[in-house]
Amino acid sequence: MPKSELQCYGECVYSTALDMLSNINRGNTPLDRLISVVAWSISTVRPLWFGVAPYNPTLGETHHVSKGNLNVLLEQVSHHPPVSALHATDDKENIEMIWCHSTVPKFTGTSVEAHVHGKRQLKLHNHGETYEMNAPNLLIRIFPIPGNDNVGDVSIRCLETNLVAELSYISQSFFRFGTNRRQIKGKIIDSLSAKLLYKIEGHWDSTVTVKNTDNAEVRVIYDANEVISGLQAPIVMDPESVWPTETTLVWSELSQAIVNKDWEKATEAKKTVEERQRELQRERESKGKTWIPKHFRVSYSKEEGWDCSPIQKSVPNAPIVTL
């Protein structure tokens, strides 16, 4: 895939045809807002092609893009193990996002499951609400029928209202029989009273509905065709302001070679990037220096895993924009 994994994470946030974040803010009640957060969380899960993979980001690689009032900044804060940090702010809506992801692959005889560790935070400052959630794992099935899927349990919790959504991304059967392809099921509960408020059901690559347990009313909360169709690639509006660490610059020669199907040049371009990273590592070691992220404070503990907090209060406008 002619892009970095860092860019893929960013696209999950800024590549949407609908302004889902503004819709969250417009919710009249905490329950309305949680339902919209569930829909937004599902929108960050995207179908992937089988047989291709994004580049492993280099240490210090960044991706900085603006979409309307939403400014998104990512940085690769660790290479071994790979850890990516994201900070996004919308000053008009007074919304903030902080992600910290560490992917650990697990191999079996028939598949590879990439476990995504770390948490995502979505802060609605106008409402004084913080939503914490995790992400599903990526399953790459090799045998008997090759394909990709998102699997595992996702919990979305509002720390202030005690409302919780529990989602299960369900893998298809071993031989891919049945109708549960890319299926999602879940529920919304009041964690204080343990009351079941809504049931969630659907397919994350098509539509997802919620059913009110009081009156049995069913409505669609997410339609993938509306959210992730007709997306446009970001445009460089101010080339001189693009950082040298920007992912599109770091991997530009490799990406162009892949697009041109010039595999010999692609191999050389990839080696050039990797050798440059090794040179920088040797240089730091010879000087006794430790690399420090530029945009995030990073910590790790066995109990909590990786944690990333942004240094800046808000993300500035980017020289790369998307519509």
Side-chain angles (χ1 to χ4, degrees):
M1 187 184 299
K3 65 179 71 173
S4 168
E5 188 174 38
L6 204 67
Q7 182 175 341
C8 293
Y9 283 143
E11 289 175 350
C12 292
V13 172
Y14 63 72
S15 285
T16 57
L18 299 180
D19 189 354
M20 303 188 73
L21 293 175
S22 295
N23 188 52
I24 294 172
N25 238 3
R26 288 193 296 267
N28 293 322
T29 68
L31 187 54
D32 289 338
R33 292 190 289 274
L34 176 64
I35 291 172
S36 294
V37 170
V38 169
W40 170 79
S41 172
I42 296 169
S43 79
T44 65
V45 178
R46 306 294 173 88
L48 294 174
W49 300 320
F50 179 78
V52 296
Y55 319 136
N56 293 322
T58 60
L59 186 64
E61 184 178 321
T62 58
H63 189 43
H64 187 199
V65 176
S66 292
K67 179 184 176 68
N69 297 301
L70 179 67
N71 300 318
V72 183
L73 172 62
L74 298 99
E75 183 177 20
Q76 191 68 12
V77 296
S78 174
H79 189 59
H80 296 295
V83 181
S84 306
L86 178 148
H87 186 211
T89 55
D90 185 326
D91 292 337
K92 181 181 178 182
E93 294 289 343
N94 208 14
I95 289 176
E96 182 178 19
M97 238 177 285
I98 302 171
W99 294 8
C100 188
H101 280 180
S102 176
T103 305
V104 179
K106 287 193 174 183
F107 299 88
T108 67
T110 60
S111 65
V112 180
E113 186 169 344
H115 290 248
V116 183
H117 298 289
K119 67 182 178 182
R120 302 175 173 183
Q121 285 188 329
L122 177 63
K123 300 183 179 184
L124 309 181
H125 293 298
N126 288 346
H127 300 285
E129 295 172 352
T130 296
Y131 296 83
E132 287 192 351
M133 65 204 80
N134 60 312
N137 301 327
L138 174 62
L139 177 66
I140 304 171
R141 185 177 285 111
I142 303 166
F143 177 85
I145 301 175
N148 295 334
D149 206 352
N150 285 278
V151 299
D153 296 329
V154 170
S155 174
I156 304 171
R157 175 183 297 273
C158 180
L159 304 181
E160 292 76 21
T161 66
N162 295 300
L163 293 173
V164 178
E166 297 175 353
L167 308 176
S168 291
Y169 288 79
I170 302 170
S171 174
Q172 206 165 6
S173 65
F174 186 71
F175 291 101
R176 304 187 76 174
F177 297 140
T179 60
N180 64 336
R181 182 175 184 271
R182 293 177 172 173
Q183 190 175 21
I184 184 171
K185 286 188 175 183
K187 58 186 177 181
I188 295 175
I189 61 174
D190 182 332
S191 63
L192 291 181
S193 64
K195 181 182 178 182
L196 176 63
L197 304 174
Y198 283 90
K199 292 182 179 179
I200 304 167
E201 191 167 1
H203 299 265
W204 56 264
D205 63 341
S206 54
T207 59
V208 178
T209 63
V210 291
K211 181 179 181 180
N212 190 317
T213 56
D214 286 336
N215 57 23
E217 178 187 359
V218 177
R219 62 186 173 97
V220 175
I221 63 167
Y222 178 72
D223 186 333
N225 189 53
E226 293 181 353
V227 175
I228 60 174
S229 292
L231 303 178
Q232 299 184 32
I235 302 170
V236 180
M237 300 297 290
D238 184 3
E240 293 184 358
S241 298
V242 175
W243 298 329
T245 54
E246 169 61 43
T247 180
T248 52
L249 283 182
V250 172
W251 299 103
S252 59
E253 290 189 13
L254 174 56
S255 296
Q256 190 60 56
I258 291 175
V259 170
N260 295 337
K261 297 184 178 181
D262 188 340
W263 308 121
E264 184 176 343
K265 188 174 181 180
T267 300
E268 288 303 315
K270 186 172 184 292
K271 287 181 179 179
T272 299
V273 173
E274 292 171 343
E275 182 54 37
R276 175 58 178 160
Q277 286 299 298
R278 286 190 282 267
E279 287 178 5
L280 291 172
Q281 176 66 20
R282 289 193 292 265
E283 184 178 322
R284 286 192 296 269
E285 290 176 350
S286 67
K287 296 180 180 179
K289 291 184 177 181
T290 301
W291 183 85
I292 299 175
K294 185 176 181 179
H295 305 283
F296 293 86
R297 300 181 186 90
V298 180
S299 62
Y300 174 80
S301 68
K302 289 184 178 180
E303 296 77 20
E304 300 294 330
W306 290 91
D307 183 72
C308 307
S309 59
I311 294 174
Q312 299 290 334
K313 183 179 179 181
S314 64
V315 179
N317 294 332
I320 302 174
V321 302
T322 185
L323 301 177

